[in-house]
Amino acid sequence: QTKALGSCSGTTAASPQSRMAEEFAVLESSLSDAAKNGNIDHVVALLRDVGRLHHLWQPNASQATAIDKAADACLRKAGDQGGDKGTNEAAATTSDQNTGEETLLKGYMVSSVNEWGADQTRILLITDLCIHRVKFNFSKEEVVSWHTTSLKDILRIEYGNFKAAGSSLTTFFWRRDIEDQQGFRIYTASRDGKKSINDVVSEEVVPALQGEEKEVTPAASAPEEFFREYRALLAEDEPWKEEVFMLEVIAALQAAKQLKGYPFEVRLTKMVKNIPGGIFTMMHNANRRRQHGF
């Protein structure tokens, strides 16, 4: 099941957020109709918003060039799991089964949150078959690496506000900053990225301390699931735009889901957020915002 998009902020006044949310409701309906009818060209036209009818996110010149180069690299090598490998190494492991079959719906600049809770500048390419997360070197104007998630492997997508976890001093002191943020998470059955320190403790240290007699039987263990978290790039500069950016990306993901009839759920919820890297992660994120040059 897929819930209709809506404002997460709960505001009742005629604010820019609420007006944008209303426009996105119209956009979502148009996208849904086009996707259910298999009209992928119309889905692409709506998301690209060339006529600026819906005031959707548009890349600047530098970002547009980066997105085009990322699409050229990833879509020609669909199905690759490049991860942190360089493009040459990634290409060597590529399957050609989807070559020429993928259609790019839209590319976005996002903050991808890694295992330490640190923001990383990435390109997110949403196609009718996959989601490609691309690391791009803007100085050299070249793709560094990418990771591909097939839409058929997605368990669910959650979006909305964050709730600071009550398990650390970092989330206590930065609670307001965390809970002002909005984003989305893509859940899969395999880990997307490296283990965080919290993962290492829960998956390796604790079981080792408990000993073999504390092992959980396979019947009692729940299926593992992992998520990758995304937010609008540099959303702190204009916080009110973060919600409408998130809603747009969710609308694009819903359209991708409906085009091929993928079964994953898309739902609005409040997501509990940890910062495994603690104060060092918060300092990294603040410094990253100061150094961005595009």
Side-chain angles (χ1 to χ4, degrees), residues 265-284:
E265 180 187 10
V266 182
R267 68 188 188 198
L268 172 65
T269 187
K270 190 175 285 289
M271 300 169 288
V272 177
K273 186 177 179 73
N274 282 292
I275 309 292
I279 188 173
F280 299 104
T281 290
M282 303 306 291
M283 292 171 63
H284 161 84

Side-chain angles (χ1 to χ4, degrees), residues 164-281:
S167 56
S168 73
L169 287 175
T170 305
T171 52
F172 175 79
F173 285 113
W174 273 275
R175 179 176 300 276
R176 176 173 292 184
D177 289 347
I178 292 171
E179 296 187 350
D180 281 344
Q181 298 175 3
Q182 298 184 48
F184 59 98
R185 291 173 174 173
I186 298 175
Y187 285 79
T188 55
S190 57
R191 193 186 305 276
D192 182 356
K194 301 175 183 178
K195 291 183 178 181
S196 70
I197 187 63
N198 293 351
D199 294 331
V200 172
V201 170
S202 63
E203 297 174 17
E204 300 177 18
V205 177
V206 172
L209 293 175
Q210 290 177 337
E212 293 183 357
E213 70 278 3
K214 296 293 185 179
E215 288 185 1
V216 179
T217 61
S221 60
E224 282 193 299
E225 60 179 29
F226 307 89
F227 67 82
R228 189 75 177 194
E229 182 177 301
Y230 299 93
R231 298 178 55 223
L233 180 65
L234 304 179
E236 294 80 4
D237 295 341
E238 295 178 287
W240 71 271
K241 288 187 177 180
E242 183 168 33
E243 180 178 5
V244 293
F245 178 86
M246 174 192 69
L247 291 176
E248 177 187 336
V249 177
I250 291 298
L253 289 168
Q254 287 181 332
K257 161 190 164 72
Q258 292 170 328
L259 277 167
K260 303 288 186 179
Y262 294 108
F264 62 82
E265 180 187 10
V266 182
R267 68 188 188 198
L268 172 65
T269 187
K270 190 175 285 289
M271 300 169 288
V272 177
K273 186 177 179 73
N274 282 292
I275 309 292
I279 188 173
F280 299 104
T281 290

Side-chain angles (χ1 to χ4, degrees), residues 43-278:
V43 169
V44 172
L46 285 168
L47 288 172
R48 302 292 174 88
D49 196 25
V50 178
R52 304 296 194 271
L53 298 177
H54 299 285
H55 309 288
L56 301 188
W57 180 84
Q58 301 291 339
N60 60 33
S62 175
Q63 294 168 348
T65 298
I67 290 171
D68 287 343
K69 290 187 175 183
D72 182 56
C74 298
L75 269 66
R76 284 189 293 105
K77 305 173 181 68
D80 178 71
Q81 296 293 328
D84 293 324
K85 298 182 292 185
T87 51
N88 291 335
E89 187 177 354
T93 63
T94 296
S95 166
D96 291 328
Q97 61 182 349
N98 290 326
T99 300
E101 297 179 6
E102 249 183 320
T103 299
L104 177 65
L105 304 185
K106 189 168 181 178
Y108 296 93
M109 296 300 307
V110 298
S111 287
S112 172
V113 183
N114 71 6
E115 65 273 10
W116 296 102
D119 294 334
Q120 298 176 312
T121 300
R122 295 292 185 264
I123 297 169
L124 197 69
L125 303 176
I126 301 175
T127 80
D128 60 331
L129 297 175
C130 303
I131 297 172
H132 304 279
R133 183 179 67 251
V134 186
K135 181 177 182 181
F136 191 85
N137 187 320
F138 281 87
S139 298
K140 297 181 178 180
E141 295 190 347
E142 63 182 21
V143 170
V144 177
S145 60
W146 68 89
H147 178 89
T148 297
T149 299
S150 173
L151 294 180
K152 65 181 176 59
D153 293 331
I154 295 177
L155 301 177
R156 71 179 182 279
I157 296 175
E158 296 182 347
Y159 69 100
N161 290 91
F162 294 103
K163 178 181 180 182
S167 56
S168 73
L169 287 175
T170 305
T171 52
F172 175 79
F173 285 113
W174 273 275
R175 179 176 300 276
R176 176 173 292 184
D177 289 347
I178 292 171
E179 296 187 350
D180 281 344
Q181 298 175 3
Q182 298 184 48
F184 59 98
R185 291 173 174 173
I186 298 175
Y187 285 79
T188 55
S190 57
R191 193 186 305 276
D192 182 356
K194 301 175 183 178
K195 291 183 178 181
S196 70
I197 187 63
N198 293 351
D199 294 331
V200 172
V201 170
S202 63
E203 297 174 17
E204 300 177 18
V205 177
V206 172
L209 293 175
Q210 290 177 337
E212 293 183 357
E213 70 278 3
K214 296 293 185 179
E215 288 185 1
V216 179
T217 61
S221 60
E224 282 193 299
E225 60 179 29
F226 307 89
F227 67 82
R228 189 75 177 194
E229 182 177 301
Y230 299 93
R231 298 178 55 223
L233 180 65
L234 304 179
E236 294 80 4
D237 295 341
E238 295 178 287
W240 71 271
K241 288 187 177 180
E242 183 168 33
E243 180 178 5
V244 293
F245 178 86
M246 174 192 69
L247 291 176
E248 177 187 336
V249 177
I250 291 298
L253 289 168
Q254 287 181 332
K257 161 190 164 72
Q258 292 170 328
L259 277 167
K260 303 288 186 179
Y262 294 108
F264 62 82
E265 180 187 10
V266 182
R267 68 188 188 198
L268 172 65
T269 187
K270 190 175 285 289
M271 300 169 288
V272 177
K273 186 177 179 73
N274 282 292
I275 309 292

